[in-house]
Amino acid sequence: MSPRTLALLIDSISEHWSVHRWTERFRRVLPNRPIVAFPGEGINPTEVGYAAVWRPSAGSLARLPNLRVIFNLGAGVDALMADVTLPRLPIVRAVSLDLAYRMSEYVLLHVLLYHRQQNELDRAQARREWISPPQWAAKSIRVGIMGLGALGIDAARKLRTVGFDVAGWSGSNKNMEGITCYTGPHELKAFLARTDVLVALLPLTAQTRGILNYKLFSELARDGVLGGPVLINAGRGGLQDENDVLAALNDGVLIGATLDVFENEPLPATSPFWTHPKVRITPHNAADCDPDVLAKDVADQILAFERGEPLRHTVDAASGY
Ligand code: NDP
Ligand code: OXD
C-alpha cells in the first residue's frame, strides 16, 4: 500500500503558524490519517507519502524516500526551489481567491495612498497645517503590474474598477479587458515607459532575481502627476537590488517605495529603509494565506490524488514557479 502519512515541515513564524496548530488543522480535515511533525522522534520516514511545508530546512525532504507530493503552505516556492537536494516530485503551491483578494486589498491600499497623497497630508497634520494639494482623477495614474498570475490579475482588475490606467507585464501573452498587457523582455521597456506606479507581484526565480534595479527604475515614466515614479514590491525581497532602491530614492529616480518584502527578513533594525522618509515598510504581510482554507485545500487534493485525479496549482520545475 502507498504511504499515507502527512508530514509537516514548517519554519514557524508565529503561534498561529506553529507546527502544533497546523497538526490540529490537518487532523480536523484528514481525521483518519497519521499527521506527524518531521523530523521527530519515532517517525518512520518510509511511511511518509505527503509533505506540507513552509521553508523546510535544506535536505529534509530528501530524507523521505516514499514521498509522493509536496504541498507548499504559501504561494511563493522560491525557498523550496533553493534546496539543491529537493526530490523531483510534484509541488503544489497555495492558490486561492481568498489570498488573491487579500493581496488586492494591499495593492489598492498602497496605490491609493500615493494617488491621494496621504504622506503629504500626514506630514501636514504633524505640522497642524491645513493644506490643499491638487486632486487628480484615478485615470491620471498609470499603474503597471509586473506579474499577471493568480495575484496580479485580480489586483489589475480591481485597480481598473477604481479607475486607474492599468497595464500588466508577464512571461506569456495575456488578454484582459481594459488592461494593456505587455509580454516578455522585449516589451518591458514599453511597459515601464508608461508606468507611474510599479507593482511587483512576480515570483523569485533565476530570471527575476534583482530585476528591480536602478536601470529599470530609470526607465519608468517621469511625466506623471505624481512627479516621479513609485515602487510597490509585494513579491519577494530578492526581486529588488536594495542598494539600487536606496540610490534611486536618494537621487529622485524614485519618489517613493512601499516594501513588504526584503532580502533578509525580519528586516534588521540597522536597515536604512526603516527611517527613510520616502519608504513605507510592511512586515511581509501583504497577503497571508488563511490556514484553514489552505489545510482544507491540501486535504481535498490528497484525497483527489488518491482517487487518481490530477493535482491543481502545481509548480513548473523548469520555470521555478
Ligand atoms: P503566479 O505564478 O500565479 O504568477 C506569476 C506571474 O509572474 C505570472 O504572470 C508569470 O508569467 C509572471 N512571471 C514569472 N516570471 C516572469 C518573467 N521572468 N518575466 C515576466 N513575467 C514573469 O504567482 P502568484 O500570482 O500566485 O504569486 C506571485 C508571487 O507573489 C509569489 O511567487 C510570491 O513570491 C508573492 N507573494 C507574496 C505575498 C506577500 O504577502 N508579500 C503573499 C503571496 C505571494 P506567466 O503568466 O507568463 O506565467
Ligand atoms: C507566500 C507569502 O508566498 O506569504 O504565500 O509570501
Side-chain angles (χ1 to χ4, degrees), residues 14-50:
S14 63
E15 165 58 17
H16 194 52
W17 207 255
S18 65
V19 178
H20 145 81
R21 293 287 293 277
W22 277 107
T23 307
E24 285 175 0
R25 285 178 197 114
F26 279 117
R27 288 205 171 127
R28 270 199 299 274
V29 288
L30 288 167
N32 302 316
R33 182 174 304 258
I35 315 281
V36 299
F38 184 81
E41 243 169 69
I43 291 163
N44 179 353
T46 64
E47 287 172 5
V48 174
Y50 306 95

PDB file of all heavy atoms in Angstrom, residues 14-50:
ATOM      1  N   SER A  14       5.026  32.238  13.775  1.00  0.00           N
ATOM      2  CA  SER A  14       4.187  32.720  14.875  1.00  0.00           C
ATOM      3  C   SER A  14       3.406  31.523  15.417  1.00  0.00           C
ATOM      4  O   SER A  14       3.364  30.464  14.791  1.00  0.00           O
ATOM      5  CB  SER A  14       3.191  33.768  14.354  1.00  0.00           C
ATOM      6  OG  SER A  14       2.338  33.152  13.410  1.00  0.00           O
ATOM      7  N   GLU A  15       2.772  31.714  16.552  1.00  0.00           N
ATOM      8  CA  GLU A  15       1.968  30.640  17.151  1.00  0.00           C
ATOM      9  C   GLU A  15       0.878  30.184  16.172  1.00  0.00           C
ATOM     10  O   GLU A  15       0.628  29.001  15.991  1.00  0.00           O
ATOM     11  CB  GLU A  15       1.367  31.143  18.488  1.00  0.00           C
ATOM     12  CG  GLU A  15       0.237  30.304  19.069  1.00  0.00           C
ATOM     13  CD  GLU A  15       0.606  28.830  19.338  1.00  0.00           C
ATOM     14  OE1 GLU A  15       1.801  28.503  19.393  1.00  0.00           O
ATOM     15  OE2 GLU A  15      -0.343  28.011  19.446  1.00  0.00           O
ATOM     16  N   HIS A  16       0.289  31.174  15.490  1.00  0.00           N
ATOM     17  CA  HIS A  16      -0.752  30.896  14.510  1.00  0.00           C
ATOM     18  C   HIS A  16      -0.235  29.922  13.434  1.00  0.00           C
ATOM     19  O   HIS A  16      -0.971  29.140  12.858  1.00  0.00           O
ATOM     20  CB  HIS A  16      -1.109  32.243  13.869  1.00  0.00           C
ATOM     21  CG  HIS A  16      -2.365  32.236  13.085  1.00  0.00           C
ATOM     22  ND1 HIS A  16      -3.544  31.776  13.601  1.00  0.00           N
ATOM     23  CD2 HIS A  16      -2.632  32.635  11.816  1.00  0.00           C
ATOM     24  CE1 HIS A  16      -4.489  31.895  12.680  1.00  0.00           C
ATOM     25  NE2 HIS A  16      -3.962  32.406  11.594  1.00  0.00           N
ATOM     26  N   TRP A  17       1.071  30.014  13.161  1.00  0.00           N
ATOM     27  CA  TRP A  17       1.689  29.251  12.076  1.00  0.00           C
ATOM     28  C   TRP A  17       2.488  28.070  12.640  1.00  0.00           C
ATOM     29  O   TRP A  17       3.278  27.450  11.948  1.00  0.00           O
ATOM     30  CB  TRP A  17       2.602  30.219  11.289  1.00  0.00           C
ATOM     31  CG  TRP A  17       2.807  29.855   9.853  1.00  0.00           C
ATOM     32  CD1 TRP A  17       3.941  29.295   9.307  1.00  0.00           C
ATOM     33  CD2 TRP A  17       1.905  30.001   8.760  1.00  0.00           C
ATOM     34  NE1 TRP A  17       3.784  29.088   7.950  1.00  0.00           N
ATOM     35  CE2 TRP A  17       2.534  29.518   7.599  1.00  0.00           C
ATOM     36  CE3 TRP A  17       0.591  30.495   8.660  1.00  0.00           C
ATOM     37  CZ2 TRP A  17       1.920  29.514   6.340  1.00  0.00           C
ATOM     38  CZ3 TRP A  17      -0.022  30.493   7.400  1.00  0.00           C
ATOM     39  CH2 TRP A  17       0.647  30.008   6.273  1.00  0.00           C
ATOM     40  N   SER A  18       2.315  27.763  13.937  1.00  0.00           N
ATOM     41  CA  SER A  18       3.158  26.737  14.563  1.00  0.00           C
ATOM     42  C   SER A  18       2.781  25.336  14.072  1.00  0.00           C
ATOM     43  O   SER A  18       1.653  25.085  13.646  1.00  0.00           O
ATOM     44  CB  SER A  18       3.021  26.802  16.081  1.00  0.00           C
ATOM     45  OG  SER A  18       1.692  26.473  16.434  1.00  0.00           O
ATOM     46  N   VAL A  19       3.732  24.412  14.196  1.00  0.00           N
ATOM     47  CA  VAL A  19       3.509  23.028  13.774  1.00  0.00           C
ATOM     48  C   VAL A  19       2.333  22.441  14.551  1.00  0.00           C
ATOM     49  O   VAL A  19       1.488  21.738  13.997  1.00  0.00           O
ATOM     50  CB  VAL A  19       4.785  22.182  14.031  1.00  0.00           C
ATOM     51  CG1 VAL A  19       4.559  20.732  13.639  1.00  0.00           C
ATOM     52  CG2 VAL A  19       5.949  22.756  13.258  1.00  0.00           C
ATOM     53  N   HIS A  20       2.269  22.805  15.837  1.00  0.00           N
ATOM     54  CA  HIS A  20       1.203  22.271  16.685  1.00  0.00           C
ATOM     55  C   HIS A  20      -0.191  22.714  16.159  1.00  0.00           C
ATOM     56  O   HIS A  20      -1.109  21.911  16.026  1.00  0.00           O
ATOM     57  CB  HIS A  20       1.524  22.744  18.108  1.00  0.00           C
ATOM     58  CG  HIS A  20       0.381  23.068  18.954  1.00  0.00           C
ATOM     59  ND1 HIS A  20      -0.318  22.083  19.607  1.00  0.00           N
ATOM     60  CD2 HIS A  20      -0.199  24.255  19.280  1.00  0.00           C
ATOM     61  CE1 HIS A  20      -1.286  22.662  20.302  1.00  0.00           C
ATOM     62  NE2 HIS A  20      -1.236  23.955  20.117  1.00  0.00           N
ATOM     63  N   ARG A  21      -0.301  24.006  15.761  1.00  0.00           N
ATOM     64  CA  ARG A  21      -1.598  24.484  15.228  1.00  0.00           C
ATOM     65  C   ARG A  21      -1.906  23.834  13.885  1.00  0.00           C
ATOM     66  O   ARG A  21      -3.044  23.485  13.585  1.00  0.00           O
ATOM     67  CB  ARG A  21      -1.594  26.007  15.086  1.00  0.00           C
ATOM     68  CG  ARG A  21      -1.544  26.767  16.404  1.00  0.00           C
ATOM     69  CD  ARG A  21      -2.874  26.702  17.158  1.00  0.00           C
ATOM     70  NE  ARG A  21      -3.936  27.417  16.464  1.00  0.00           N
ATOM     71  CZ  ARG A  21      -4.140  28.724  16.543  1.00  0.00           C
ATOM     72  NH1 ARG A  21      -3.372  29.458  17.314  1.00  0.00           N
ATOM     73  NH2 ARG A  21      -5.106  29.303  15.874  1.00  0.00           N
ATOM     74  N   TRP A  22      -0.849  23.654  13.055  1.00  0.00           N
ATOM     75  CA  TRP A  22      -1.074  23.000  11.757  1.00  0.00           C
ATOM     76  C   TRP A  22      -1.498  21.545  11.955  1.00  0.00           C
ATOM     77  O   TRP A  22      -2.339  21.023  11.226  1.00  0.00           O
ATOM     78  CB  TRP A  22       0.187  23.074  10.889  1.00  0.00           C
ATOM     79  CG  TRP A  22       0.298  24.373  10.164  1.00  0.00           C
ATOM     80  CD1 TRP A  22       1.160  25.394  10.447  1.00  0.00           C
ATOM     81  CD2 TRP A  22      -0.477  24.811   9.039  1.00  0.00           C
ATOM     82  NE1 TRP A  22       0.970  26.437   9.571  1.00  0.00           N
ATOM     83  CE2 TRP A  22      -0.036  26.096   8.694  1.00  0.00           C
ATOM     84  CE3 TRP A  22      -1.520  24.248   8.299  1.00  0.00           C
ATOM     85  CZ2 TRP A  22      -0.579  26.830   7.639  1.00  0.00           C
ATOM     86  CZ3 TRP A  22      -2.071  24.963   7.247  1.00  0.00           C
ATOM     87  CH2 TRP A  22      -1.606  26.246   6.928  1.00  0.00           C
ATOM     88  N   THR A  23      -0.905  20.880  12.949  1.00  0.00           N
ATOM     89  CA  THR A  23      -1.275  19.480  13.207  1.00  0.00           C
ATOM     90  C   THR A  23      -2.769  19.412  13.548  1.00  0.00           C
ATOM     91  O   THR A  23      -3.505  18.573  13.010  1.00  0.00           O
ATOM     92  CB  THR A  23      -0.424  18.906  14.374  1.00  0.00           C
ATOM     93  OG1 THR A  23       0.940  19.140  14.065  1.00  0.00           O
ATOM     94  CG2 THR A  23      -0.661  17.431  14.574  1.00  0.00           C
ATOM     95  N   GLU A  24      -3.237  20.306  14.400  1.00  0.00           N
ATOM     96  CA  GLU A  24      -4.666  20.329  14.763  1.00  0.00           C
ATOM     97  C   GLU A  24      -5.540  20.534  13.526  1.00  0.00           C
ATOM     98  O   GLU A  24      -6.538  19.854  13.326  1.00  0.00           O
ATOM     99  CB  GLU A  24      -4.946  21.487  15.731  1.00  0.00           C
ATOM    100  CG  GLU A  24      -4.479  21.247  17.132  1.00  0.00           C
ATOM    101  CD  GLU A  24      -4.682  22.501  17.998  1.00  0.00           C
ATOM    102  OE1 GLU A  24      -5.183  23.548  17.498  1.00  0.00           O
ATOM    103  OE2 GLU A  24      -4.304  22.413  19.159  1.00  0.00           O
ATOM    104  N   ARG A  25      -5.122  21.518  12.685  1.00  0.00           N
ATOM    105  CA  ARG A  25      -5.930  21.820  11.485  1.00  0.00           C
ATOM    106  C   ARG A  25      -6.008  20.596  10.554  1.00  0.00           C
ATOM    107  O   ARG A  25      -7.070  20.244  10.081  1.00  0.00           O
ATOM    108  CB  ARG A  25      -5.293  22.969  10.687  1.00  0.00           C
ATOM    109  CG  ARG A  25      -5.486  24.298  11.292  1.00  0.00           C
ATOM    110  CD  ARG A  25      -4.788  25.381  10.461  1.00  0.00           C
ATOM    111  NE  ARG A  25      -4.661  26.551  11.283  1.00  0.00           N
ATOM    112  CZ  ARG A  25      -3.526  27.077  11.710  1.00  0.00           C
ATOM    113  NH1 ARG A  25      -2.372  26.586  11.326  1.00  0.00           N
ATOM    114  NH2 ARG A  25      -3.527  28.110  12.497  1.00  0.00           N
ATOM    115  N   PHE A  26      -4.833  19.974  10.335  1.00  0.00           N
ATOM    116  CA  PHE A  26      -4.838  18.827   9.412  1.00  0.00           C
ATOM    117  C   PHE A  26      -5.589  17.633  10.021  1.00  0.00           C
ATOM    118  O   PHE A  26      -6.217  16.871   9.293  1.00  0.00           O
ATOM    119  CB  PHE A  26      -3.402  18.454   9.011  1.00  0.00           C
ATOM    120  CG  PHE A  26      -2.868  19.342   7.921  1.00  0.00           C
ATOM    121  CD1 PHE A  26      -1.767  20.158   8.125  1.00  0.00           C
ATOM    122  CD2 PHE A  26      -3.475  19.379   6.668  1.00  0.00           C
ATOM    123  CE1 PHE A  26      -1.286  20.986   7.109  1.00  0.00           C
ATOM    124  CE2 PHE A  26      -3.001  20.198   5.655  1.00  0.00           C
ATOM    125  CZ  PHE A  26      -1.908  21.000   5.880  1.00  0.00           C
ATOM    126  N   ARG A  27      -5.536  17.488  11.338  1.00  0.00           N
ATOM    127  CA  ARG A  27      -6.289  16.360  11.959  1.00  0.00           C
ATOM    128  C   ARG A  27      -7.783  16.565  11.777  1.00  0.00           C
ATOM    129  O   ARG A  27      -8.531  15.609  11.630  1.00  0.00           O
ATOM    130  CB  ARG A  27      -5.923  16.222  13.434  1.00  0.00           C
ATOM    131  CG  ARG A  27      -4.517  15.660  13.557  1.00  0.00           C
ATOM    132  CD  ARG A  27      -4.239  14.938  14.857  1.00  0.00           C
ATOM    133  NE  ARG A  27      -2.942  14.282  14.741  1.00  0.00           N
ATOM    134  CZ  ARG A  27      -1.940  14.415  15.607  1.00  0.00           C
ATOM    135  NH1 ARG A  27      -2.102  15.131  16.695  1.00  0.00           N
ATOM    136  NH2 ARG A  27      -0.794  13.781  15.395  1.00  0.00           N
ATOM    137  N   ARG A  28      -8.220  17.818  11.758  1.00  0.00           N
ATOM    138  CA  ARG A  28      -9.662  18.093  11.559  1.00  0.00           C
ATOM    139  C   ARG A  28     -10.094  17.713  10.146  1.00  0.00           C
ATOM    140  O   ARG A  28     -11.157  17.160   9.949  1.00  0.00           O
ATOM    141  CB  ARG A  28      -9.952  19.581  11.775  1.00  0.00           C
ATOM    142  CG  ARG A  28     -10.297  19.925  13.209  1.00  0.00           C
ATOM    143  CD  ARG A  28     -11.012  21.262  13.329  1.00  0.00           C
ATOM    144  NE  ARG A  28     -10.217  22.377  12.847  1.00  0.00           N
ATOM    145  CZ  ARG A  28      -9.334  23.036  13.594  1.00  0.00           C
ATOM    146  NH1 ARG A  28      -9.127  22.687  14.841  1.00  0.00           N
ATOM    147  NH2 ARG A  28      -8.656  24.037  13.102  1.00  0.00           N
ATOM    148  N   VAL A  29      -9.239  18.034   9.135  1.00  0.00           N
ATOM    149  CA  VAL A  29      -9.677  17.827   7.747  1.00  0.00           C
ATOM    150  C   VAL A  29      -9.249  16.468   7.187  1.00  0.00           C
ATOM    151  O   VAL A  29      -9.770  16.029   6.153  1.00  0.00           O
ATOM    152  CB  VAL A  29      -9.176  18.972   6.816  1.00  0.00           C
ATOM    153  CG1 VAL A  29      -9.922  20.261   7.087  1.00  0.00           C
ATOM    154  CG2 VAL A  29      -7.671  19.183   6.922  1.00  0.00           C
ATOM    155  N   LEU A  30      -8.314  15.790   7.872  1.00  0.00           N
ATOM    156  CA  LEU A  30      -7.898  14.446   7.444  1.00  0.00           C
ATOM    157  C   LEU A  30      -7.936  13.536   8.684  1.00  0.00           C
ATOM    158  O   LEU A  30      -6.900  13.074   9.183  1.00  0.00           O
ATOM    159  CB  LEU A  30      -6.478  14.483   6.858  1.00  0.00           C
ATOM    160  CG  LEU A  30      -6.299  15.128   5.487  1.00  0.00           C
ATOM    161  CD1 LEU A  30      -4.822  15.367   5.184  1.00  0.00           C
ATOM    162  CD2 LEU A  30      -6.925  14.276   4.378  1.00  0.00           C
ATOM    163  N   PRO A  31      -9.141  13.269   9.220  1.00  0.00           N
ATOM    164  CA  PRO A  31      -9.238  12.635  10.534  1.00  0.00           C
ATOM    165  C   PRO A  31      -8.659  11.220  10.606  1.00  0.00           C
ATOM    166  O   PRO A  31      -8.249  10.778  11.666  1.00  0.00           O
ATOM    167  CB  PRO A  31     -10.744  12.629  10.827  1.00  0.00           C
ATOM    168  CG  PRO A  31     -11.421  12.896   9.531  1.00  0.00           C
ATOM    169  CD  PRO A  31     -10.457  13.616   8.652  1.00  0.00           C
ATOM    170  N   ASN A  32      -8.623  10.503   9.493  1.00  0.00           N
ATOM    171  CA  ASN A  32      -8.188   9.106   9.586  1.00  0.00           C
ATOM    172  C   ASN A  32      -6.776   8.876   9.068  1.00  0.00           C
ATOM    173  O   ASN A  32      -6.465   7.804   8.558  1.00  0.00           O
ATOM    174  CB  ASN A  32      -9.158   8.217   8.788  1.00  0.00           C
ATOM    175  CG  ASN A  32     -10.556   8.379   9.326  1.00  0.00           C
ATOM    176  OD1 ASN A  32     -10.744   8.381  10.541  1.00  0.00           O
ATOM    177  ND2 ASN A  32     -11.523   8.588   8.440  1.00  0.00           N
ATOM    178  N   ARG A  33      -5.963   9.884   9.179  1.00  0.00           N
ATOM    179  CA  ARG A  33      -4.631   9.768   8.565  1.00  0.00           C
ATOM    180  C   ARG A  33      -3.571  10.196   9.584  1.00  0.00           C
ATOM    181  O   ARG A  33      -3.757  11.178  10.306  1.00  0.00           O
ATOM    182  CB  ARG A  33      -4.586  10.702   7.351  1.00  0.00           C
ATOM    183  CG  ARG A  33      -3.295  10.673   6.564  1.00  0.00           C
ATOM    184  CD  ARG A  33      -3.443  11.524   5.324  1.00  0.00           C
ATOM    185  NE  ARG A  33      -4.562  11.106   4.520  1.00  0.00           N
ATOM    186  CZ  ARG A  33      -4.476  10.380   3.409  1.00  0.00           C
ATOM    187  NH1 ARG A  33      -3.322  10.041   2.927  1.00  0.00           N
ATOM    188  NH2 ARG A  33      -5.553  10.022   2.757  1.00  0.00           N
ATOM    189  N   PRO A  34      -2.439   9.484   9.622  1.00  0.00           N
ATOM    190  CA  PRO A  34      -1.370   9.938  10.529  1.00  0.00           C
ATOM    191  C   PRO A  34      -0.799  11.285  10.066  1.00  0.00           C
ATOM    192  O   PRO A  34      -0.479  11.453   8.885  1.00  0.00           O
ATOM    193  CB  PRO A  34      -0.306   8.833  10.422  1.00  0.00           C
ATOM    194  CG  PRO A  34      -0.945   7.703   9.674  1.00  0.00           C
ATOM    195  CD  PRO A  34      -2.106   8.247   8.893  1.00  0.00           C
ATOM    196  N   ILE A  35      -0.721  12.223  11.007  1.00  0.00           N
ATOM    197  CA  ILE A  35      -0.132  13.546  10.729  1.00  0.00           C
ATOM    198  C   ILE A  35       1.051  13.683  11.688  1.00  0.00           C
ATOM    199  O   ILE A  35       0.854  13.579  12.900  1.00  0.00           O
ATOM    200  CB  ILE A  35      -1.132  14.698  11.026  1.00  0.00           C
ATOM    201  CG1 ILE A  35      -2.537  14.422  10.478  1.00  0.00           C
ATOM    202  CG2 ILE A  35      -0.574  16.055  10.610  1.00  0.00           C
ATOM    203  CD1 ILE A  35      -2.750  14.655   9.032  1.00  0.00           C
ATOM    204  N   VAL A  36       2.225  13.918  11.166  1.00  0.00           N
ATOM    205  CA  VAL A  36       3.403  13.966  12.050  1.00  0.00           C
ATOM    206  C   VAL A  36       4.245  15.201  11.744  1.00  0.00           C
ATOM    207  O   VAL A  36       4.247  15.699  10.623  1.00  0.00           O
ATOM    208  CB  VAL A  36       4.293  12.706  11.876  1.00  0.00           C
ATOM    209  CG1 VAL A  36       3.527  11.450  12.224  1.00  0.00           C
ATOM    210  CG2 VAL A  36       4.877  12.617  10.457  1.00  0.00           C
ATOM    211  N   ALA A  37       4.946  15.671  12.765  1.00  0.00           N
ATOM    212  CA  ALA A  37       5.914  16.746  12.537  1.00  0.00           C
ATOM    213  C   ALA A  37       7.236  16.071  12.204  1.00  0.00           C
ATOM    214  O   ALA A  37       7.651  15.127  12.884  1.00  0.00           O
ATOM    215  CB  ALA A  37       6.051  17.586  13.791  1.00  0.00           C
ATOM    216  N   PHE A  38       7.886  16.523  11.139  1.00  0.00           N
ATOM    217  CA  PHE A  38       9.143  15.890  10.722  1.00  0.00           C
ATOM    218  C   PHE A  38      10.254  16.937  10.682  1.00  0.00           C
ATOM    219  O   PHE A  38      10.023  18.049  10.187  1.00  0.00           O
ATOM    220  CB  PHE A  38       8.976  15.254   9.325  1.00  0.00           C
ATOM    221  CG  PHE A  38      10.201  14.509   8.883  1.00  0.00           C
ATOM    222  CD1 PHE A  38      10.439  13.214   9.326  1.00  0.00           C
ATOM    223  CD2 PHE A  38      11.148  15.121   8.054  1.00  0.00           C
ATOM    224  CE1 PHE A  38      11.583  12.535   8.938  1.00  0.00           C
ATOM    225  CE2 PHE A  38      12.293  14.438   7.661  1.00  0.00           C
ATOM    226  CZ  PHE A  38      12.507  13.149   8.108  1.00  0.00           C
ATOM    227  N   PRO A  39      11.486  16.618  11.154  1.00  0.00           N
ATOM    228  CA  PRO A  39      11.827  15.360  11.809  1.00  0.00           C
ATOM    229  C   PRO A  39      11.256  15.308  13.224  1.00  0.00           C
ATOM    230  O   PRO A  39      10.987  16.343  13.824  1.00  0.00           O
ATOM    231  CB  PRO A  39      13.362  15.395  11.834  1.00  0.00           C
ATOM    232  CG  PRO A  39      13.736  16.830  11.712  1.00  0.00           C
ATOM    233  CD  PRO A  39      12.619  17.536  11.010  1.00  0.00           C
ATOM    234  N   GLY A  40      11.062  14.103  13.719  1.00  0.00           N
ATOM    235  CA  GLY A  40      10.529  13.953  15.074  1.00  0.00           C
ATOM    236  C   GLY A  40      10.832  12.545  15.558  1.00  0.00           C
ATOM    237  O   GLY A  40      11.042  11.635  14.748  1.00  0.00           O
ATOM    238  N   GLU A  41      10.803  12.390  16.868  1.00  0.00           N
ATOM    239  CA  GLU A  41      11.161  11.092  17.442  1.00  0.00           C
ATOM    240  C   GLU A  41      10.158  10.010  17.049  1.00  0.00           C
ATOM    241  O   GLU A  41       8.962  10.259  17.030  1.00  0.00           O
ATOM    242  CB  GLU A  41      11.187  11.204  18.963  1.00  0.00           C
ATOM    243  CG  GLU A  41      12.578  10.932  19.521  1.00  0.00           C
ATOM    244  CD  GLU A  41      12.674  11.304  20.964  1.00  0.00           C
ATOM    245  OE1 GLU A  41      12.037  10.609  21.765  1.00  0.00           O
ATOM    246  OE2 GLU A  41      13.372  12.295  21.242  1.00  0.00           O
ATOM    247  N   GLY A  42      10.666   8.817  16.735  1.00  0.00           N
ATOM    248  CA  GLY A  42       9.800   7.668  16.479  1.00  0.00           C
ATOM    249  C   GLY A  42       9.102   7.715  15.130  1.00  0.00           C
ATOM    250  O   GLY A  42       8.205   6.927  14.864  1.00  0.00           O
ATOM    251  N   ILE A  43       9.473   8.642  14.268  1.00  0.00           N
ATOM    252  CA  ILE A  43       8.792   8.726  12.962  1.00  0.00           C
ATOM    253  C   ILE A  43       9.565   7.908  11.943  1.00  0.00           C
ATOM    254  O   ILE A  43      10.790   8.046  11.820  1.00  0.00           O
ATOM    255  CB  ILE A  43       8.668  10.189  12.515  1.00  0.00           C
ATOM    256  CG1 ILE A  43       7.683  10.874  13.444  1.00  0.00           C
ATOM    257  CG2 ILE A  43       8.201  10.296  11.060  1.00  0.00           C
ATOM    258  CD1 ILE A  43       7.759  12.343  13.393  1.00  0.00           C
ATOM    259  N   ASN A  44       8.821   7.067  11.257  1.00  0.00           N
ATOM    260  CA  ASN A  44       9.454   6.256  10.219  1.00  0.00           C
ATOM    261  C   ASN A  44       9.336   6.991   8.880  1.00  0.00           C
ATOM    262  O   ASN A  44       8.243   7.083   8.317  1.00  0.00           O
ATOM    263  CB  ASN A  44       8.736   4.901  10.166  1.00  0.00           C
ATOM    264  CG  ASN A  44       9.324   4.008   9.103  1.00  0.00           C
ATOM    265  OD1 ASN A  44      10.182   4.447   8.326  1.00  0.00           O
ATOM    266  ND2 ASN A  44       8.869   2.768   9.077  1.00  0.00           N
ATOM    267  N   PRO A  45      10.447   7.500   8.355  1.00  0.00           N
ATOM    268  CA  PRO A  45      10.376   8.304   7.118  1.00  0.00           C
ATOM    269  C   PRO A  45       9.785   7.532   5.941  1.00  0.00           C
ATOM    270  O   PRO A  45       9.200   8.140   5.047  1.00  0.00           O
ATOM    271  CB  PRO A  45      11.838   8.667   6.838  1.00  0.00           C
ATOM    272  CG  PRO A  45      12.581   8.407   8.085  1.00  0.00           C
ATOM    273  CD  PRO A  45      11.823   7.387   8.855  1.00  0.00           C
ATOM    274  N   THR A  46       9.876   6.209   5.951  1.00  0.00           N
ATOM    275  CA  THR A  46       9.363   5.447   4.802  1.00  0.00           C
ATOM    276  C   THR A  46       7.831   5.472   4.739  1.00  0.00           C
ATOM    277  O   THR A  46       7.240   5.137   3.722  1.00  0.00           O
ATOM    278  CB  THR A  46       9.838   3.978   4.834  1.00  0.00           C
ATOM    279  OG1 THR A  46       9.289   3.368   5.989  1.00  0.00           O
ATOM    280  CG2 THR A  46      11.355   3.876   4.817  1.00  0.00           C
ATOM    281  N   GLU A  47       7.196   5.850   5.855  1.00  0.00           N
ATOM    282  CA  GLU A  47       5.719   5.856   5.870  1.00  0.00           C
ATOM    283  C   GLU A  47       5.127   7.178   5.385  1.00  0.00           C
ATOM    284  O   GLU A  47       3.921   7.330   5.265  1.00  0.00           O
ATOM    285  CB  GLU A  47       5.221   5.573   7.292  1.00  0.00           C
ATOM    286  CG  GLU A  47       5.427   4.118   7.662  1.00  0.00           C
ATOM    287  CD  GLU A  47       5.134   3.828   9.119  1.00  0.00           C
ATOM    288  OE1 GLU A  47       4.678   4.740   9.840  1.00  0.00           O
ATOM    289  OE2 GLU A  47       5.386   2.681   9.529  1.00  0.00           O
ATOM    290  N   VAL A  48       5.996   8.153   5.123  1.00  0.00           N
ATOM    291  CA  VAL A  48       5.505   9.482   4.731  1.00  0.00           C
ATOM    292  C   VAL A  48       5.268   9.536   3.221  1.00  0.00           C
ATOM    293  O   VAL A  48       6.178   9.311   2.425  1.00  0.00           O
ATOM    294  CB  VAL A  48       6.513  10.579   5.159  1.00  0.00           C
ATOM    295  CG1 VAL A  48       6.093  11.940   4.621  1.00  0.00           C
ATOM    296  CG2 VAL A  48       6.655  10.608   6.673  1.00  0.00           C
ATOM    297  N   GLY A  49       4.021   9.825   2.856  1.00  0.00           N
ATOM    298  CA  GLY A  49       3.683   9.935   1.432  1.00  0.00           C
ATOM    299  C   GLY A  49       3.507  11.377   0.973  1.00  0.00           C
ATOM    300  O   GLY A  49       3.612  11.690  -0.214  1.00  0.00           O
ATOM    301  N   TYR A  50       3.205  12.262   1.934  1.00  0.00           N
ATOM    302  CA  TYR A  50       2.898  13.664   1.587  1.00  0.00           C
ATOM    303  C   TYR A  50       3.615  14.580   2.571  1.00  0.00           C
ATOM    304  O   TYR A  50       3.777  14.228   3.742  1.00  0.00           O
ATOM    305  CB  TYR A  50       1.388  13.916   1.666  1.00  0.00           C
ATOM    306  CG  TYR A  50       0.604  12.931   0.821  1.00  0.00           C
ATOM    307  CD1 TYR A  50       0.070  11.776   1.400  1.00  0.00           C
ATOM    308  CD2 TYR A  50       0.435  13.141  -0.549  1.00  0.00           C
ATOM    309  CE1 TYR A  50      -0.612  10.847   0.631  1.00  0.00           C
ATOM    310  CE2 TYR A  50      -0.248  12.211  -1.319  1.00  0.00           C
ATOM    311  CZ  TYR A  50      -0.760  11.071  -0.725  1.00  0.00           C
ATOM    312  OH  TYR A  50      -1.427  10.164  -1.495  1.00  0.00           O
TER     313      TYR A  50
END
